[in-house]
Amino acid sequence: MAGAAIRDIIPAMRTIVLVLLLAPLALVGCQTAPSEPEPPPNILFAIADDASHPHMSAYGTSWVSTPAFDRVAREGVLFARAYTPNAKCAPSRSIVLTGRHSWQLGAAANHWPYFPEEYRTYAEALADHGYHVGYTGKGWAPGVARDADGQPRQLAGTPFQEHKATPPADHVSDNDYAANFAAFLDARPEGQPFCFWYGAFEPHRAYQYGVGVDSGGRRPSDIDAVPPYWPDTETVRTDMLDYAFEIEHFDAHLQRMLNLLEERGELERTLVVVTADNGMPFPRAKGNSYEVSNHMPLAIMWPAGIKGPGRQVDDFVSFLDFAPTFLEVAGVSVADSGMKPIEGRSLTSIFRSGRSGQVDPERDHVLVGKERHDVGRPNDVGYPIRGILTDRWLFLVNFEPDRWPAGNPETGYLNTDGSPTKTEILQMRRRGADTRYWELAFGKRPREELYDLQQDPPCVDNLAAEPAQAGRRRQLRERLFDALEAQGDPRMKGEGSLFDEYLYADESSRGFYDRYMRGESPNAGWVEPTDFEPEPLE
């Protein structure tokens, strides 16, 4: 009996010993097992329509107040040198969505294009990779985007436009952007990250004249300086304050969106990007290739992903960089996105650096340029420009200097929106007063322009003809053209005319110059009737 009992006990003892030996290994296995991966962040991309750097109060501009933008800058990174490569709505937004220069996008280089089927956007890619994607207000526009079957494409996501509000002034949109963002969040499947495009229509023209004074609580004297390419008059200052009033409307909705994310516990893991698509809708700004045209406000916050919040970064960054940034943080490779090769570079190294000032020495320049914006020349041709901008110099090449840069005078200078400032400049020339403002805004330009941004930030003193600058012009030209050749720019192959051959998608304005000169009245609702010169100018 004793031997049998011992035989029964031995297997049990063996089991106990085996358990004791394996328990530490099991504990080690539990400790080293991979943790659950962090979910990808949400993305809120907020883009104003026609606002120049530095017209957010975080940059020190006193006659505009943007507390929401300022919060994003304070709790994230304020970028001092952010640029759109093409200062017009549709091409600028095409660059944002694809990460490619406009001259790498076929017809989408132009304003009011037919967007080519072959170029996917980051929004379409993220929608295919588990993101809830949508927009409110102005997405990619203006233009026509269809797929291979002729069905409309939503390049920025599903539209959320239902909620309306009483606008605070004439010409301000009745879109309740923040309420539509809330509706977008409510429609999100549980646990799904989101990517949302908040595209305000403000501060696009037209404005209610005097609203910045009457409702914005400011006086023309509050503006510290009027740029030297406009006359310093009460009319111009009032126009600038009306512009500021609409920027503040954009910012007010952004504030509501930030509050909503905070209330829902989503702000910590949301990447918030705030910028504008191109320069302010004033003469020599929007639609050109100068500092005021292409230099954009930019602030980015991401509490869970940006080290050292409250920094200002001086690196040159481009709108090309948004798409690769969004793909990277979402964990989607360019190859898996189905997008064409991306020219831009992700900004995540700046997020992680924790450093202010210059973070990446290679980010020492940006390229700018344009093709056809608004019509207004014979045969709907554009005004092609390419340029390079460094920490001190802006060098531009105007490929067709015999053309009128803002459109022909007899058809209303259609590439400059109608405004009190535009009217003031045109009337000064007609009265025989100071014509320098007209020359800077509307006059023909030489083939090359060179500006010293340290001495002349407004870009009014062209140094290209000075013999002392010949070497610098040659160096910048070579650097520019080498980059354009590497990017496959058709202008470097002598094939630039193809940009003029793409159809203008707005049929009501297509062929504007030729139809107008035949006595028709094609659509020109974005300029004033008095903008048209009675006779062609030499």
Side-chain angles (χ1 to χ4, degrees), residues 200-264:
F201 289 101
E202 293 78 29
H204 195 285
R205 298 280 181 183
Y207 304 151
Q208 178 181 320
Y209 185 74
V211 71
V213 174
D214 298 337
S215 300
R218 292 191 174 84
R219 298 166 297 177
S221 59
D222 291 338
I223 293 177
D224 51 354
V226 173
Y229 36 77
W230 306 327
D232 188 351
T233 66
E234 183 143 331
T235 295
V236 172
R237 286 172 174 262
T238 300
D239 202 14
M240 294 172 69
L241 292 179
D242 296 344
Y243 157 79
F245 179 86
E246 294 212 356
I247 290 176
E248 292 173 355
H249 181 75
F250 159 77
D251 191 76
H253 280 268
L254 175 62
Q255 183 69 68
R256 289 172 57 195
M257 292 179 187
L258 297 178
N259 292 343
L260 182 62
L261 290 173
E262 204 160 33
E263 291 164 6
R264 297 193 181 200

Side-chain angles (χ1 to χ4, degrees), residues 75 120 140 144 174 178 291 293 357 387 416 443 455 515:
E75 299 182 17
R120 296 197 82 211
W140 175 80
V144 175
D174 66 352
E291 262 283 288
S293 315
T416 300
Q455 303 297 322
R515 292 164 57 196

Side-chain angles (χ1 to χ4, degrees), residues 238-462:
T238 300
D239 202 14
M240 294 172 69
L241 292 179
D242 296 344
Y243 157 79
F245 179 86
E246 294 212 356
I247 290 176
E248 292 173 355
H249 181 75
F250 159 77
D251 191 76
H253 280 268
L254 175 62
Q255 183 69 68
R256 289 172 57 195
M257 292 179 187
L258 297 178
N259 292 343
L260 182 62
L261 290 173
E262 204 160 33
E263 291 164 6
R264 297 193 181 200
E266 297 273 15
L267 188 59
E268 177 73 17
R269 66 183 201 94
T270 300
L271 172 63
V272 180
V273 178
V274 190
T275 188
D277 59 355
N278 50 249
M280 59 197 303
F282 284 69
R284 198 174 168 84
K286 174 184 176 181
N288 289 274
S289 296
Y290 299 116
E291 262 283 288
V292 68
S293 315
N294 296 73
H295 196 172
M296 295 291 100
L298 175 63
I300 301 178
M301 70 181 289
W302 179 15
I306 288 181
K307 184 179 179 181
R311 294 180 281 141
Q312 177 172 300
V313 168
D314 297 333
D315 294 43
F316 282 91
V317 301
S318 169
F319 278 21
L320 299 164
D321 301 330
F322 294 139
T325 301
F326 298 158
L327 291 179
E328 182 181 346
V329 301
V332 179
S333 69
V334 176
D336 290 341
S337 72
M339 297 170 66
K340 294 290 186 182
I342 286 177
E343 193 69 36
R345 299 168 53 203
S346 172
L347 298 171
T348 55
S349 62
I350 294 176
F351 298 167
R352 295 190 298 264
S353 73
R355 297 197 301 273
S356 299
Q358 186 75 34
V359 176
D360 181 351
E362 293 186 4
R363 289 185 177 273
D364 62 352
H365 74 285
V366 290
L367 303 187
V368 298
K370 55 177 279 193
E371 284 295 334
R372 182 179 64 217
H373 285 173
D374 288 311
V375 290
R377 302 180 191 87
N379 302 312
D380 286 345
V381 298
Y383 191 81
I385 301 174
R386 300 289 186 274
I388 184 169
L389 193 145
T390 70
D391 63 344
R392 180 166 181 176
W393 301 98
L394 172 62
F395 173 72
L396 301 174
V397 178
N398 301 310
F399 286 92
E400 298 289 347
D402 289 337
R403 298 178 185 173
W404 292 98
N408 279 47
E410 61 271 31
T411 47
Y413 312 93
L414 292 187
N415 201 38
T416 300
D417 296 338
S419 69
T421 300
K422 180 181 180 181
T423 298
E424 186 102 335
I425 292 171
L426 294 179
Q427 294 296 349
M428 288 179 73
R429 189 202 67 83
R430 292 165 184 163
R431 293 195 307 265
D434 191 343
T435 63
R436 177 169 167 78
Y437 304 114
W438 181 90
E439 291 287 351
L440 288 169
F442 306 113
K444 291 185 177 180
R445 298 166 185 168
R447 180 175 175 83
E448 294 186 344
E449 299 177 71
L450 178 68
Y451 299 98
D452 183 343
L453 299 177
Q454 290 184 7
Q455 303 297 322
D456 177 29
C459 304
V460 294
D461 295 320
N462 182 12

Side-chain angles (χ1 to χ4, degrees), residues 17 27 85 319:
V17 170
L27 182 60
F319 278 21

